[in-house]
Amino acid sequence: MIGRRKLILGGSATLLAGCERVQNWGPGRELLRTGEKLNGGLQRALIDRAALAPEFRPDQMSPVFRVNGTANPNTPDYNALAAGNFADWRLQVGGLVARPLRLSLAQLRSMPQRAQITRHDCVEGWSAIGQWQGPLLGSLLKLAGIRDAARFVVFHCADRIQGHTYYESIDLIDAWHPQTILALFHNGRPLDVGHGAPARLRVERQLGYKHAKYVMQVEAVASLDAVGLGKGGFWEDHHDYDWFAGI
Ligand SMILES: Nc1nc2c(c(=O)[nH]1)N[C@H]1C(S)=C(S)[C@@H](COP(=O)(O)O)O[C@H]1N2
Ligand SMILES: [Mo]
């Protein structure tokens, strides 16, 4: 019989084999090591969180991928950026990091990319399968030198909805997950405005509202207390959605 510990290590190896770049990540290793120290129930929870979302074949892609929520931020600032094909857009990576970054779209596109065909599940009851491509969120956090005190990653978006800037947050398990990317491409083309141009989060183990579109700023924080009303996202703060929307 294979013991639980063996299963866990086996699972980790499979996960890491899926993406070479993750193998050398300190935080990933640290997480797995921490996992070994936890008790059985917590270990199972950790393994569930680390599991990969299903990926699909190109022929399984939805012919139409619906646009939901904001379809165009339509603010003067955003419109000016869009008019210039986002050449002047800069992604800010800040908060609890050693090296705050301001990255252009060209810089982001020159980073190693991951492409994945996944199913998007919206809490409103629709799904769509599409391909997404972009650098791993973890690569950006590593580049910025995320600090040990960080526990969450917050995404600040360009759009306003019901009078509030859209924002969302995830924990570091999702942030380092090998399928969590800052998507720059959808179905092989640069993201269109409807799907979150120029960059949107894909956090494949979570429901649709966690996948922040129109990301302007990525912020590492120790706590969500000072983010919005304290629950970590627009829907969480204003409509009582769950912060953890794991699927
Ligand atoms: N900035 C921003 N991100 C957002 C939203 C939004 O309104 N604004 N809507 C969310 C919801 S509820 C869903 S289902 C998905 C929809 O993504 P799509 O338009 O690419 O289908 O984006 C999510 N991210
Ligand atoms: Mo959604």
Side-chain angles (χ1 to χ4, degrees), residues 68 122-124 208-209:
N68 204 42
C122 173
V123 73
E124 293 164 25
Y209 61 90

Side-chain angles (χ1 to χ4, degrees), residues 65-70 120 122 124 126 132 157 159 161 166 194-195 200 208-209 211-214 235:
F65 198 113
R66 179 170 157 173
V67 168
N68 204 42
T70 302
H120 179 97
C122 173
E124 293 164 25
W126 60 274
W132 305 96
C157 305
D159 58 320
I161 171 165
Y166 199 98
H195 290 108
R200 67 96 56 83
Y209 61 90
H211 300 230
K213 304 196 284 188
Y214 318 110
W235 290 105

Side-chain angles (χ1 to χ4, degrees), residues 133-147:
Q133 184 191 310
L136 293 176
L137 178 66
S139 304
L140 295 175
L141 298 176
K142 196 174 181 200
L143 200 62
I146 188 169
R147 294 190 189 280

Side-chain angles (χ1 to χ4, degrees), residues 17 27-28 34 42 51 64 71 82 90 119 149-150 152 166 170 172 207 210 228 230 234 242 247:
T34 309
L42 276 173
V64 175
R90 294 291 179 274
R119 193 186 62 225
F152 303 93
Y166 199 98
I170 59 177
L172 293 188
L207 287 171
K210 304 295 288 186
F234 164 76
D242 288 333
I247 44 178

